[in-house]
Amino acid sequence: MKTFHWPLSETLKNYQCGDIIVIADSIELAREYALEDFATWARLEDSRFAYWFKADGSFFDDYDAEQYAKALKTLAADLAKDPIIGRRSIFINGGE
């Protein structure tokens, strides 16, 4: 297993860019896992995207569905970049 790290994620940008970190056997699997897991993570209450979703996981309205679709496009663009591969430890500074 390797660590795949995409720094400067626009999808996870708040005041600063975020980081996407995935452990997988290959870069293809890392990208697949990130896309799959984002759908679940976005609906969790500690996600900044959670307000788009009702408790049952459906969207509140068409606008929220559109925003989610935009986030998925941005995520795909983040994951299309070359990640940093194989660091044993990754340190991420805190931010607002």
Side-chain angles (χ1 to χ4, degrees), residues 26-61:
S26 68
I27 192 169
E28 294 82 12
L29 277 175
R31 288 179 170 129
E32 181 181 322
Y33 293 164
L35 288 168
E36 287 176 9
D37 293 344
F38 183 80
T40 302
W41 174 78
R43 289 166 170 80
L44 298 177
E45 65 182 61
D46 63 343
S47 161
R48 70 178 187 91
F49 304 105
Y51 64 92
W52 292 336
F53 303 97
K54 298 178 187 176
D56 67 1
S58 64
F59 295 104
F60 278 103
D61 55 33

